[in-house]
Amino acid sequence: MPKPYAPDSRWLGAVMHAAFFLLLGGALARFLLRHPGEPRTPWIFALSLTLAVLHLLGPALTGPEPSGPVTRPAGRRLAWLGLVVVVWMVLVVLAPSFAWCAVPLFYTGLRTLPARAALVLVTVLTLFVVAAQLRLAGGFDPNLLLAPPAVAAIAAAVFLHTERQAARQRALIDDLIRTRRELAASERREGTLAERQRLSMEIHDTLAQGLSSQRMLLQAAERVWETDPDKARTHVRGAASVAEHNLTEARRFVHDLAPADLARGGGLDAALRALAVRESGDHLAVRVHVDDGGRSPLLPDRVQSALLRIAQGALANVREHAGATAAALTLTLLDDQAVLDVTDDGHGFDPAALPDAPAGVRGHGLPAMRARLRQLGGTLTVESAPGEGTVLSAAVPLEAPRPDPADRQETPR
């Protein structure tokens, strides 16, 4: 909401009031010098003092002047302006030399009244000025007849044009403020949606997968509980280990820290090997191959975390849906990108038959991987066919290393 009054207009009001008092004092001095001892002198002096007091008390009686165009003046301000104009008119009738006090009154009228009413007031004040000047001149003078209306017209036109320009600027500022607020609200909404997507991916890649592994291990333990107690206890211990890891992930997830495997140190290489050990079991063997030249701990934290989450999600899909007996994680670091390949010997599927968006509780794996890579400018490629296994490849671009100036060699000319 714009402020109803502009502090910047106070200096202009002060200048106009000072000009009014100077003109009023000059007119009174001229009258006293030109007409000493006349019977109307006490009236002139009293009316001048009344006009000065009214102008002096005007801001206190009516409040500060409005900052924008006036559509409906306040009652007290309108009454004050009417009283000032009436007193001034009486003074002009008694002493025409007070006519030039109308110049500050132009400003006051234009600031107080709506445009049409202000123009009417300016016209009346101008007619009084012309009549007073002709009376002082003692005869007809075309210059005195035409100059005051011309000056009044120019002053009124400039003032109204300035007011309209200021109104346009205020409207533009209001639009900019409103647009900025809408943009901020849109950014907050986008941030909320992005955070929801991040949370959904984190939950899917950590807690949901861990719970799925626990369920499968407990179901396997239940199936052999009577026939093979030792194997059942092994499954239960595996479920307990998964639950412990899930608890660690949940705590770090709440505090927005790195994945638990990365937090232990050793970089992405060690984290992938720990993941492979945890995912390997009676029905699935997971091996890891890393070709990084020892650079995987130097990868940005976001890249390491994203690739590890993708590996977790891919192995979860292999375990739950592929029916595979072997899987492999291959990490390759090139000069310009990091590539993680996840392969399995499962029954495969038709990638073209997958929906673009997840459906229901399941189906978040591949879309979540693509969304995670998209945030890093990476790509996800899936190659599979029914009965031929699956190859999933995640590529993340890396900044090219800057050459060391010491390694540069001069080229012979």
Side-chain angles (χ1 to χ4, degrees):
M1 289 291 294
K3 293 182 179 181
Y5 300 103
D8 294 340
S9 64
R10 293 177 181 174
W11 70 270
L12 183 57
V15 170
M16 289 298 173
H17 282 291
F20 179 82
F21 289 126
L22 288 175
L23 292 173
L24 182 65
L28 180 61
R30 182 180 185 280
F31 178 82
L32 294 176
L33 290 174
R34 295 285 183 91
H35 309 281
E38 284 197 6
R40 54 180 174 163
T41 300
W43 289 102
I44 297 296
F45 189 81
L47 289 173
S48 299
L49 182 61
T50 301
L51 195 58
V53 171
L54 286 174
H55 247 274
L56 189 64
L57 298 180
L61 294 175
T62 61
E65 295 180 353
S67 62
V70 179
T71 58
R72 188 176 182 180
R76 289 190 304 171
R77 191 168 188 80
L78 187 60
W80 170 82
L81 178 61
L83 184 59
V84 169
V85 171
V86 169
V87 173
W88 173 80
M89 288 180 174
V90 174
L91 264 176
V92 172
V93 171
L94 295 177
S97 58
F98 286 88
W100 288 112
C101 293
V103 175
L105 290 181
F106 288 167
Y107 166 81
T108 304
L110 290 169
R111 294 292 293 173
T112 304
L113 300 174
R116 292 184 179 179
L119 291 177
V120 172
L121 177 62
V122 168
T123 302
V124 173
L125 296 178
T126 303
L127 292 176
F128 264 76
V129 170
V130 170
Q133 293 303 307
L134 291 176
R135 181 179 169 188
L136 284 175
F140 178 76
D141 187 344
N143 189 45
L144 295 179
L145 180 64
L146 300 177
V151 173
I154 294 173
V158 170
F159 182 88
L160 292 177
H161 176 73
T162 303
E163 284 291 294
R164 289 171 182 170
Q165 289 292 104
R168 294 191 188 100
Q169 291 179 357
R170 283 191 293 270
L172 179 60
I173 292 173
D174 291 340
D175 289 340
L176 291 175
I177 293 175
R178 183 170 58 255
T179 302
R180 185 175 63 182
R181 289 174 179 172
E182 292 175 355
L183 180 60
S186 176
E187 290 178 349
R188 284 194 297 270
R189 287 193 298 270
E190 291 179 359
T192 301
L193 293 175
E195 183 65 11
R196 288 178 179 175
Q197 184 182 29
R198 185 188 72 84
L199 291 175
S200 67
M201 290 189 298
E202 294 289 345
I203 291 173
H204 175 271
D205 293 341
T206 56
L207 304 183
Q209 292 177 8
L211 292 173
S212 176
S213 298
Q214 287 179 260
R215 185 192 64 180
M216 294 178 64
L217 289 170
L218 292 176
Q219 287 175 345
E222 184 180 11
R223 286 194 298 268
V224 297
W225 190 266
E226 299 293 340
T227 59
D228 193 348
D230 292 337
K231 192 171 185 179
R233 282 192 290 270
T234 301
H235 290 321
V236 171
R237 284 193 295 270
S241 176
V242 173
E244 181 182 359
H245 179 78
N246 234 28
L247 180 60
T248 303
E249 287 281 7
R251 288 171 177 168
R252 293 185 177 275
F253 173 62
V254 169
H255 293 286
D256 198 24
L257 299 178
D261 290 329
L262 287 175
R264 298 189 181 99
L268 184 57
D269 183 352
L272 291 175
R273 297 186 188 280
L275 174 64
V277 171
R278 190 166 58 251
E279 294 293 334
S280 297
D282 295 338
H283 304 289
L284 180 64
V286 182
R287 60 183 178 84
V288 178
H289 177 70
V290 177
D291 182 12
D292 65 345
R295 292 184 294 146
S296 81
L298 302 180
L299 287 174
D301 292 341
R302 291 182 63 196
V303 174
Q304 294 191 56
S305 178
L307 292 178
L308 179 59
R309 295 302 192 202
I310 289 170
Q312 290 174 337
L315 289 180
N317 288 339
V318 170
R319 185 180 59 250
E320 293 185 25
H321 307 298
T325 59
L329 301 175
T330 303
L331 175 65
T332 305
L333 295 190
L334 305 175
D335 291 337
D336 59 346
Q337 63 180 347
V339 181
L340 174 67
D341 295 317
V342 183
T343 61
D344 67 76
D345 60 354
H347 50 66
F349 62 96
D350 182 8
L354 291 177
D356 295 333
V361 177
R362 292 183 177 275
H364 284 272
L366 292 178
M369 295 178 196
R370 288 194 175 93
R372 193 184 294 278
L373 288 170
R374 195 180 304 118
Q375 294 175 356
L376 300 175
T379 57
L380 181 71
T381 304
V382 180
E383 298 179 1
S384 183
E388 296 184 5
T390 302
V391 178
L392 182 147
S393 180
V396 179
L398 302 176
E399 293 184 0
R402 296 181 180 179
D404 190 343
D407 296 337
R408 295 179 181 174
Q409 297 180 354
E410 294 185 1
T411 302
R413 298 182 179 177

